[in-house]
Amino acid sequence: MLSTATQKLQFLYKPYALAIVSVGYVLGELGHYLIGVTSKATAEDLHYGDISCQLNTTTLSIVDLPIQCEVAKNESFCTSLELNGSHYCEWNYNGLGLDYQILAGPSFIAVFTIVGVILGIAADKYNRVRLLTICTLVFSIAIVLMGAVKKYWQLVILRMVLAAGEAGCNPLATGLLSDWFPEEQRGLVMSIFNWGIYGGYGIAFPVGRYIPGLNIGDLGWRACYYGAGIIGLIMAALTFTLTEPQRKTIGEEETNTDGKKVPVWKVILQPRIIVLCLAASIRHCGGMCFAYNCDLYYRDYFPDYDLGWWLFAVTIVIGSIGVVVGGVISDKFVAKMGIRSRVAVLAISQIIATPFAFGSVYFNPLWAMITLGISYFFAEMWFGIVFAVVVEIVPLHLRSTTIGAFLFVMNNIGGNLPILVEPTRMAIGFRESLYIYYAGFYGISSIMFFLTMFLMDGAKKEESKTEISRKPEFGYDNNTFTNDEGRVPTLELPRLYPPPPHRFENSRL
């Protein structure tokens, strides 16, 4: 009875497994991106980064102010600004500066990329479910402890521990999902899983903006990290309930013509892997530049607008639709056009997203949110499709290793280049720096994805069956008849269908 019920519910296992690894990834990315939204409150508490003159009232609009706060370059001038006897500016930490950029980017990326390669290699040799459970447990504990820090350096160390745990999520889960799901669903499945990046990023806006204001248990911004970390511990326990699937060959052959396994360097140094990785790195940089600076940018330029829920809706709702549509479209065309179709979807989606990304920084709040929504719809198609392509063009025994190496390069370039935003901001302005590293890098990546498309294979052509390969139909054997000259045709030996390659076709006595 119990076994019968289990068999009936077996169809729910794959969606359950997808949900568990995806939610775990969302929580890891929430811990990753929370610093970008809570940075101002965290900087005020831990005393790091830049200090500037900022608006400290919600009752006044910027257009009503006689002098803008950012004009003041010292504390005395800042605190002297007033309107109708009310001081409307404060001299305080703004959450920006080199300290913040190091905390958000290099301290995380340095560990994330190195550990990602190590865990990618381990995933090809050991039980991936157990490794993923350990990784989820590690980053969840790190997130909880981030809520208890007292010093800036403690936050840096815990960001590094968080990176070590989260580094295994993508290579481990990607390998598991590629074995759980068939090719015709792989693009959609990878897109749903990799949406965790944008899910965690989007949830960070309302969590980081509004929960500190509630001051739950007098914890302020710390409550965000405690809550996310505790939920992560629950997901670690649920991850342990999954079972390791049988590894399947879904990409190209594992061996050369001489029967030897393809070495890892030969796989990674393929021109198509290199160009795809560089294109993904540039696109990742554009996304990271906006992710780390988005909330701070809108707070800085539009301090009298509360855009927290708008950013959440654009990221979660519109971004989610874009992720699913991208996966479905690539799955739809891959059977007809081959892997090249997935890269075509990448190139076209990023080309369309680029001008709208520019508009999301150029326009005032209303049109900024509208253009950001359109940009997100097309831009967020990319991540899941990239990894669907990678798992389909590498051998089985090197799948997770290749993904780990791919992420190492992509995150080192895309994750560290955003540090250039700070010196560029100081030289030409915050908005102008995002024009270059956000919208500009979207455009460059779209061109590179387009070039990558020509290095990929098209649709596989079915070999037409020859007459000799077909099984003969029932009927008379004309070979037993005499011809017009009265001769009996040469007797043929019985044929195998199809003939083995080591025998000559039409062998006769």
Side-chain angles (χ1 to χ4, degrees):
M1 180 71 112
L2 183 61
S3 61
T4 305
T6 303
Q7 289 177 356
K8 289 182 178 179
L9 295 175
Q10 190 68 30
F11 74 97
L12 293 175
Y13 176 74
K14 289 181 181 179
Y16 167 76
L18 174 60
I20 293 300
V21 298
S22 298
V23 173
Y25 197 29
V26 167
L27 290 167
E29 289 299 294
L30 174 59
H32 177 190
Y33 289 112
L34 258 179
I35 191 64
V37 187
T38 63
S39 183
K40 187 176 187 303
T42 307
E44 290 175 357
D45 193 356
L46 303 181
H47 299 166
Y48 68 82
D50 291 350
I51 301 176
S52 65
C53 190
Q54 307 159 66
L55 187 70
N56 70 344
T57 178
T58 58
T59 59
L60 298 175
S61 177
I62 289 181
V63 295
D64 299 327
L65 303 179
I67 301 176
Q68 301 298 317
C69 294
E70 58 266 23
V71 173
K73 301 302 179 184
N74 57 70
E75 184 175 5
S76 58
F77 184 23
C78 177
T79 54
S80 68
L81 298 177
E82 61 177 286
L83 179 64
N84 298 327
S86 176
H87 295 279
Y88 56 84
C89 294
E90 65 174 354
W91 185 256
N92 208 338
Y93 292 93
N94 60 12
L96 288 167
L98 188 60
D99 286 346
Y100 165 70
Q101 296 295 341
I102 291 173
L103 183 65
S107 67
F108 182 93
I109 295 300
V111 176
F112 184 84
T113 54
I114 295 172
V115 177
V117 173
I118 296 171
L119 290 174
I121 296 171
D124 288 324
K125 298 180 179 180
Y126 303 107
N127 187 293
R128 293 167 292 181
V129 170
R130 292 178 184 175
L131 288 173
L132 185 59
T133 302
I134 294 171
C135 287
T136 307
L137 183 64
V138 168
F139 76 64
S140 299
I141 292 173
I143 294 172
V144 170
L145 294 178
M146 285 169 72
V149 297
K150 300 296 183 182
K151 301 289 184 180
Y152 170 77
W153 67 265
Q154 295 171 347
L155 193 59
V156 173
I157 296 297
L158 287 171
R159 285 276 293 175
M160 296 170 75
V161 177
L162 166 64
E166 195 187 344
C169 289
N170 199 301
L172 292 168
T174 299
L176 289 168
L177 292 171
S178 63
D179 289 333
W180 277 324
F181 292 89
E183 181 183 18
E184 60 270 16
Q185 298 176 352
R186 197 168 296 128
L188 176 59
V189 167
M190 292 299 180
S191 293
I192 291 172
F193 169 72
N194 285 290
W195 170 84
I197 294 177
Y198 308 102
Y201 169 49
I203 294 170
F205 288 116
V207 171
R209 274 186 177 234
Y210 306 123
I211 288 183
L214 298 176
N215 201 25
I216 300 172
D218 201 30
L219 293 172
W221 62 271
R222 300 175 187 272
C224 305
Y225 292 92
Y226 286 137
I230 290 171
I231 298 173
L233 293 173
I234 296 172
M235 296 311 301
L238 292 175
T239 304
F240 189 70
T241 65
L242 302 178
T243 56
E244 177 78 6
Q246 182 180 358
R247 299 175 192 253
K248 297 185 297 186
T249 301
I250 62 172
E252 299 176 356
E253 293 299 322
E254 293 186 63
T255 58
N256 290 314
T257 54
D258 58 3
K260 295 181 180 179
K261 285 191 173 183
V262 180
V264 63
W265 63 267
K266 192 171 183 179
V267 172
I268 294 175
L269 295 181
Q270 294 179 78
R272 57 184 178 175
I273 292 284
I274 294 174
V275 179
L276 180 66
C277 187
L278 291 176
S281 300
I282 297 298
R283 170 59 183 81
H284 192 50
C285 177
M288 289 296 98
C289 285
F290 190 69
Y292 289 147
N293 297 284
C294 167
D295 189 70
L296 295 168
Y297 167 78
Y298 287 121
R299 283 178 188 264
D300 190 22
Y301 277 76
F302 313 113
D304 50 346
Y305 286 87
D306 185 357
L307 299 176
W309 286 112
W310 279 99
L311 293 169
F312 169 78
V314 167
T315 307
I316 296 295
V317 179
I318 299 178
S320 301
I321 296 172
V323 164
V324 173
V325 169
V328 170
I329 290 175
S330 71
D331 283 340
K332 193 78 173 176
F333 292 125
V334 72
K336 297 180 180 179
M337 297 174 58
I339 298 174
R340 185 178 296 167
S341 66
R342 293 202 195 276
V343 187
V345 173
L346 277 176
I348 294 170
S349 63
Q350 302 313 299
I351 288 171
I352 297 173
T354 299
F356 293 104
F358 181 86
S360 67
V361 181
Y362 176 78
F363 292 117
N364 285 331
L366 176 60
W367 279 102
M369 292 300 102
I370 292 173
T371 52
L372 180 62
I374 299 172
S375 175
Y376 254 75
F377 177 80
F378 291 100
E380 304 321 312
M381 294 181 180
W382 85 283
F383 209 89
I385 301 176
V386 162
F387 286 96
V389 170
V390 173
V391 298
E392 288 174 353
I393 63 175
V394 299
L396 167 66
H397 72 287
L398 295 176
R399 188 184 305 155
S400 294
T401 303
T402 304
I403 291 171
F406 193 96
L407 284 168
F408 176 83
V409 176
M410 189 182 83
N411 284 298
N412 266 297
I413 296 175
N416 286 316
L417 277 182
I419 200 171
L420 297 177
V421 170
E422 182 60 23
T424 309
R425 178 182 75 89
M426 299 299 291
I428 62 175
F430 203 175
R431 173 176 281 163
E432 290 73 15
S433 66
L434 292 181
Y435 286 159
I436 298 170
Y437 298 110
Y438 165 43
F441 276 30
Y442 270 28
I444 295 171
S445 72
S446 65
I447 296 171
M448 295 184 70
F449 282 132
F450 180 76
L451 296 175
T452 308
M453 184 176 65
F454 296 101
L455 300 175
M456 297 294 175
D457 296 330
K460 294 180 180 178
K461 295 181 180 179
E462 293 186 5
E463 295 182 3
S464 59
K465 294 183 178 179
T466 60
E467 194 69 25
I468 194 69
S469 300
R470 291 202 216 113
K471 186 176 180 180
E473 298 178 358
F474 291 106
Y476 294 103
D477 186 356
N478 291 331
N479 285 326
T480 62
F481 292 174
T482 59
N483 57 23
D484 291 339
E485 298 178 0
R487 296 177 184 172
V488 178
T490 305
L491 181 63
E492 255 186 324
L493 287 175
R495 299 183 183 181
L496 296 175
Y497 299 93
H502 63 278
R503 301 210 176 181
F504 291 106
E505 189 173 302
N506 296 327
S507 299
R508 298 174 184 270
L509 287 176

